[in-house]
Amino acid sequence: MDTTPTPSAAEAARTDTARRRRTAGAAAVAAAVEWYDYFIFGIAAALVLGDQFFPSASPVAGVLASFATFAVGFLARPIGGVIAGHLGDQRGRKPMLVLALTVMGLATTGIGLLPSYDAIGVLAPVLLVALRVLQGVAVGAQWGGAMLMATEYAPPGKRGLYGSMVQLGVPVGVVTANSAFLLTEAGTGGDAFTSWGWRVPFLAGLLVLVLAWYIHTRVEETPEFREAERRLAAEEAADGEGRSPLREILRGNLGTVFLAGGSFAVNTATFYILITGVLDYTTRELGMERGTVLFVSLLISCFQLLMIPAAAALSDRVGRIKVYELGAVGLLVWAIPMFLLIDTGSLLGLAAGTFVGSLFLSIMYGPQAALFAELFTAETRYTGASLGYQIAAVLGGGLAPFVMVLLLEATDTSMSVSGYIIALAAVALASIAVLKRRAARA
């Protein structure tokens, strides 16, 4: 019997493949530009924002103030996750992703145009905090939309790999943000960079609006959401009641949300310690050159571009939780050696310590998108996955650089920061153990 597909069937298959790739590519680019906008604030907080917006006789106080503003964005991320998750489970993944990109582009550009404390006084830090809150809301809304656009369009058996395309937005964002600051500093010089050059990377936020328009006009809604929408419409017609994804999560899946957040906090905390806290620590305390530290961070992020999809593809074969747990164990074991190497103050020590640390981060981060998506049904997935991720961001990432500075000042040793990472890793492993037991019962 001839089983060769007819031309129409072959054409439909090609069209479907092209649609999947276009959607995954758009989601990956959306994540990359969104994280670029978010990360440049962290770099600027470590380098210039303290002097520009929080003038103080104490350099430590200025850094703490700028890192506190950095953390405000993380506190706002659950707000974005709740709002976009609720609406995204009701109205679709795509419109929430477009809205998140638009808000992020406008907020980032606003920071680049914001006058300093010397120009408008106390209004400058107030506006800076407000714009950082908008950045936090936007990135909290973005991750769930981009992740679901990719994973819900993934071919069978490749959800982890497709989800990792969105996860690559983090190292791509770090590479482009660091590159933007390195190039700007090289092109403007020390005084000019401190005075106005730091603003240039923020003004690139306008490009995000172009991407938002592209996704709005060229990318389709995911098939899983359309199917869930039809199913829920039939149920609502039968019982006459509307639905609230947020209420469903709070009533039936809140424990899973907190377990997801607890499992991931160590990853996001260690990540921001490495890209932001270590930048301040090595330049201010260890006397290393700023450009050298940024260059190491850039190389490490390039390495993650390879490791994240590799870990995700492995999770498609051996299981999400096994790969995810391996990364958490690695962070626990490596926390002390990592800072012992960084404390040498040498380029080799910094590179070795952060390289291995980023390896374990990548092993966790690769399968995380697919893992979180699979913890919830399609009807509540945007809300549940977003909340879990953003809770981790608050508990880990947002406070991590601030906590790091406080620990270093209080203890005068980086081993206290290692202890902080170890404690979060222990929470992660306990959360993962519960998730594994639940999966086994299911």
Side-chain angles (χ1 to χ4, degrees):
M1 179 178 178
D2 185 9
T3 58
T4 303
T6 64
S8 60
E11 181 63 29
R14 286 194 294 270
T15 301
D16 183 63
T17 299
R19 184 185 299 115
R20 291 177 190 272
R21 291 175 178 174
R22 182 171 63 248
T23 302
V29 175
V33 296
E34 189 96 348
W35 285 118
Y36 164 85
D37 284 1
Y38 198 69
F39 289 149
I40 55 175
F41 192 100
I43 298 172
L47 299 179
V48 296
L49 294 187
D51 292 334
Q52 292 289 318
F53 293 93
F54 305 98
S56 170
S58 167
V60 174
V63 170
L64 283 172
S66 62
F67 278 168
T69 306
F70 177 69
V72 164
F74 288 82
L75 297 176
R77 281 170 60 169
I79 299 174
V82 168
I83 295 173
H86 181 77
L87 295 176
D89 282 327
Q90 285 186 324
R91 302 181 183 180
R93 315 332 189 180
K94 188 179 83 168
M96 293 302 101
L97 180 57
V98 170
L99 178 61
L101 289 168
T102 303
V103 172
M104 178 62 85
L106 294 174
T108 303
T109 304
I111 293 172
L113 298 174
L114 188 62
S116 67
Y117 186 94
D118 290 340
I120 59 174
V122 72
L123 185 60
V126 170
L127 291 175
L128 181 67
V129 170
L131 291 170
R132 181 58 177 171
V133 167
L134 287 178
Q135 278 195 321
V137 170
V139 82
Q142 170 271 142
W143 181 80
M147 178 270 290
L148 292 179
M149 292 291 288
T151 58
E152 291 186 346
Y153 250 118
K158 293 187 177 181
R159 177 171 277 177
L161 181 60
Y162 268 59
S164 73
M165 297 299 101
V166 172
Q167 305 296 74
L168 288 178
V170 169
V172 170
V174 173
V175 169
T176 52
N178 279 322
S179 299
F181 272 95
L182 284 170
L183 292 173
T184 303
E185 186 173 19
T188 59
D191 292 339
F193 174 80
T194 303
S195 176
W196 61 268
W198 65 270
R199 299 177 181 275
V200 175
F202 285 91
L203 299 179
L206 285 172
L207 298 176
V208 180
L209 303 179
V210 178
L211 179 63
W213 174 84
Y214 174 84
I215 293 176
H216 176 68
T217 57
R218 298 294 302 278
V219 176
E220 298 180 13
E221 187 55 78
T222 71
E224 282 196 43
F225 173 77
R226 291 198 300 266
E227 177 60 31
E229 190 176 35
R230 286 191 292 268
R231 187 165 57 249
L232 289 168
E235 293 175 2
E236 290 176 8
D239 59 28
E241 293 184 5
R243 60 180 293 267
S244 169
L246 179 59
R247 184 172 61 244
E248 291 175 28
I249 285 291
L250 294 178
R251 286 181 176 178
N253 298 98
L254 188 58
T256 303
V257 167
F258 279 109
L259 287 171
S263 75
F264 194 62
V266 64
N267 188 286
T268 188
T270 306
F271 174 77
Y272 283 103
I273 283 173
L274 291 182
I275 70 162
T276 302
V278 167
L279 176 58
D280 169 65
Y281 175 61
T282 53
T283 55
R284 183 168 55 86
E285 297 288 343
L286 302 182
M288 299 184 71
E289 292 292 329
R290 181 167 58 195
T292 299
V293 180
L294 285 173
F295 184 67
V296 170
S297 179
L298 188 150
L299 290 179
I300 294 302
S301 296
C302 290
F303 167 70
Q304 288 185 304
L305 293 175
L306 301 175
M307 288 306 304
I308 287 174
L314 180 63
S315 79
D316 282 330
R317 301 185 62 177
V318 305
R320 317 275 181 233
I321 222 71
K322 290 181 180 179
V323 179
Y324 192 69
E325 187 176 35
L326 175 62
V329 170
L331 290 176
L332 185 146
V333 172
W334 189 246
I336 290 177
M338 179 170 68
F339 269 95
L340 290 176
L341 287 166
I342 292 172
D343 282 345
T344 64
S346 67
L347 176 61
L348 181 60
L350 173 66
T354 55
F355 178 87
V356 177
S358 70
L359 171 64
F360 293 123
L361 289 176
S362 301
I363 291 173
M364 277 193 82
Y365 200 57
Q368 183 252 345
L371 173 64
F372 277 30
E374 291 167 353
L375 291 175
F376 306 94
T377 64
E379 291 81 359
T380 60
R381 187 171 289 156
Y382 201 143
T383 305
S386 292
L387 271 178
Y389 188 96
Q390 304 314 331
I391 286 172
V394 172
L395 296 178
L399 295 175
F402 186 82
V403 170
M404 179 177 174
V405 173
L406 289 179
L407 288 172
L408 290 170
E409 288 297 308
T411 64
D412 201 30
T413 173
S414 64
M415 290 299 98
S416 58
V417 184
S418 296
Y420 173 54
I421 295 173
I422 289 171
L424 290 175
V427 172
L429 291 172
S431 300
I432 291 169
V434 177
L435 289 173
K436 286 173 65 176
R437 286 199 296 271
R438 289 187 173 188
R441 288 199 301 268

